[in-house]
Amino acid sequence: MGRGACGRRVLALLAVCAVACGLAATPALAVESSGGRGGSAIAVQTAEAEDADSAPEGEGTARTPADGMASDVAAADEPAGSEAPADTGATDERARIEAGDKSDTAPEGSDARAFEADTAASADTGSAEEADGDPAPADPAPADPAPAGWVREDGTWRYFVDGAATTGWLDWQGHRYHLDEATGAMDTGWIVADGTRHYLYASGVLAQSDWVATVDGRLLVDASGAPGNGWVAANGEAYRVADGQAQTGLLTIHGNLYYTDATGMLCHDCRVVVDGRRYSLSAEGVATDVTEPLAKEGGHWVYRCKDGTVYGESDTDFHAGTVEVPPGMSAEQASVVRATNNVPSPGAGLCSEWVTAVFEQAGIGSWGGDACDQYREWCHSTDPFDLQVGMIVAVPTEPHSPLAVKYGHVGVYVGNGLVMQNVSGKIRYQTLPGWISYFGETAIVKWGWLGGRALA
């Protein structure tokens, strides 16, 4: 090997050593080679040196690669002219991984948002695309929710709970319904449930403590909705029924005597006359026989009114004509009797209008309303001994005409056992027993002062 080649190799080795040894002290190192056959020279300069050929005066000799020969000799194997790689943080990252750090945070200096997106994508095992790149099939459409509550189907109502139709009895918002045991359809009308008949209104609500219509007449159902037996409360009154049908008249129950009207309603706080005997009814409806019949003539009981008139119960005929004012009447009573002779009929079905006109003409006062209104407001007695001339006699309903069924009938007691009235558009009088017998078929006849105005 010639000296030139050897010198070049030494220079290369020195340059590598200089780089390895001078990193801490010499930011930049320049190696310059010159020479020829006669020899070679080496000059080492730092970036801080002001003179390219020598160290500044007073600063001592410039550092050379030889001063760091004891440093990392492994650098001698690096290719000539290579430089140490810049610190990219790889060493710190490798140390972190080797230490077992499993953090998902983005490496320092990287784009954190991109890292999070990449992490989420790599962790997602349910990719939206299949392996061949086709979109994944869409989720099926949600099923219709299960029906709940009242639902109208096939023209009828059903009630659903957890998707299933309810059957049998249903209590809902304070009312009771029955749903067909087989189909769940809401029942109406008469049904048989639990071995008993029940009635349900058109709304499906169970009828309770109320009168309902049947082909055979009205039936009273009790609180359970079944036809009542015994005493049944309805509309604020007590009724006596057997299998829903009214029991009427004098009834002996548990040793006590009671009286019920044509509808089966218990009468109380009044007096009644039955078969010639007078009965006083207590607040509880218990009847007490308080008088003996006065007489029996021609097979009929005879009664005596307070004015002394004796009358029987057989004559139901209507009579045309006027009546005389009984003796001993007050001026107002006499005025009412005369007015019944003078006031014409206002028309058929207008009995209460005629009575109102009579009292207006007599100068007593004006009280309107239908016969049923006048009955409920002013008529409170059934005792013949309470009946006085000038009182009205009325029923809240009677069966001889559709209007009378709804509005009742009313007349004026004119004395001598007679009642004057407007009937079928004509003014007619009738005996009191006949009036009671004819108009009292379906209700209790009562009497009292119209407007509460006593005339005697």
Side-chain angles (χ1 to χ4, degrees), residues 318 336-337 340 350-356 358-359 369-372 374-375 378-379 387-396 398 407-415 418-423 426-432 435-436 439 445-450:
F318 299 100
V336 169
V337 174
T340 63
L350 302 177
C351 59
S352 63
E353 287 80 357
W354 177 79
V355 168
T356 298
V358 165
F359 278 78
D370 296 315
C372 56
Q374 294 175 345
Y375 173 89
W378 312 117
C379 297
L387 184 59
Q388 298 189 57
V389 172
M391 283 186 171
I392 60 172
V393 181
V395 287
E398 57 97 354
Y407 299 111
H409 185 62
V410 63
V412 179
Y413 182 66
V414 292
L418 301 176
V419 178
M420 191 74 83
Q421 63 204 313
N422 173 41
V423 57
K426 299 175 182 179
I427 307 304
R428 296 289 185 265
Y429 65 84
Q430 195 174 14
T431 67
L432 178 62
W435 201 100
I436 293 172
F439 292 107
V445 178
K446 295 183 180 181
W447 37 80
W449 295 114
L450 182 63

Side-chain angles (χ1 to χ4, degrees), residues 16 23-24 50 55 102 107 136 142 167 186 255 259 309 354 370 372 397 399:
V16 172
L23 286 175
E50 295 179 359
K102 305 298 183 181
T167 60
M186 183 183 75
Y259 181 81
T309 303
W354 177 79
D370 296 315
C372 56
T397 181

Side-chain angles (χ1 to χ4, degrees), residues 182-210:
T183 66
M186 183 183 75
D187 288 322
T188 60
W190 285 103
I191 66 167
V192 176
D194 306 324
T196 305
R197 287 188 301 163
H198 297 81
Y199 185 83
L200 302 119
Y201 301 118
S203 63
V205 174
L206 174 68
Q208 296 172 287
S209 302
D210 195 12

Side-chain angles (χ1 to χ4, degrees), residues 48-333:
E48 291 86 2
E50 295 179 359
D51 188 342
D53 295 328
S54 61
E57 291 185 4
E59 294 295 328
T61 305
R63 179 179 175 86
T64 67
D67 295 330
M69 289 296 289
S71 63
D72 189 4
V73 294
D77 295 332
E78 294 289 341
S82 65
E83 297 182 359
D87 184 10
T88 62
T91 301
D92 292 340
E93 179 67 11
R94 184 167 56 253
R96 183 177 69 84
I97 294 174
E98 290 174 353
D101 188 356
K102 305 298 183 181
S103 173
D104 289 333
T105 57
E108 186 177 351
S110 67
D111 186 338
R113 287 173 296 180
F115 171 78
E116 291 171 357
D118 291 341
T119 301
S122 64
D124 182 12
T125 58
S127 173
E129 295 188 0
E130 300 290 346
D132 58 3
D134 294 0
D139 292 336
D144 292 336
W150 287 107
V151 176
R152 189 171 180 83
E153 293 182 334
D154 304 326
T156 190
W157 287 98
R158 292 177 172 83
Y159 191 85
F160 288 83
V161 176
D162 296 331
T166 300
T167 60
W169 291 111
L170 169 68
D171 293 309
W172 185 76
Q173 292 191 354
H175 297 292
R176 198 158 212 222
Y177 301 79
H178 190 271
L179 308 171
D180 186 88
E181 300 286 353
T183 66
M186 183 183 75
D187 288 322
T188 60
W190 285 103
I191 66 167
V192 176
D194 306 324
T196 305
R197 287 188 301 163
H198 297 81
Y199 185 83
L200 302 119
Y201 301 118
S203 63
V205 174
L206 174 68
Q208 296 172 287
S209 302
D210 195 12
W211 289 97
V212 297
T214 71
V215 293
D216 299 322
R218 297 197 313 160
L219 290 182
L220 180 61
V221 295
D222 59 21
S224 73
N229 284 286
W231 293 113
V232 176
N235 305 319
E237 299 289 348
Y239 295 82
R240 187 71 181 182
V241 292
D243 196 26
Q245 294 183 332
Q247 294 183 299
T248 63
L250 281 173
L251 306 171
T252 301
I253 303 170
H254 302 306
N256 290 324
L257 193 62
Y258 299 88
Y259 181 81
T260 61
D261 68 9
T263 67
M265 184 182 73
L266 175 67
C267 298
H268 53 87
D269 291 317
C270 64
R271 290 183 179 183
V272 296
V273 178
V274 181
D275 293 334
R277 305 182 74 88
R278 290 193 300 146
Y279 296 89
S280 176
L281 308 180
S282 69
E284 293 75 26
V286 177
T288 303
D289 190 345
V290 295
T291 189
E292 293 293 332
L294 296 177
K296 193 170 185 179
E297 300 176 358
H300 300 286
W301 293 110
V302 177
Y303 306 92
R304 186 177 299 277
C305 295
K306 195 171 184 177
D307 62 5
T309 303
V310 177
Y311 60 89
E313 61 181 358
S314 60
D315 184 9
T316 60
D317 295 337
F318 299 100
H319 303 278
T322 60
V323 295
E324 298 293 331
V325 177
M329 298 296 103
S330 70
E332 290 181 324
Q333 287 176 301

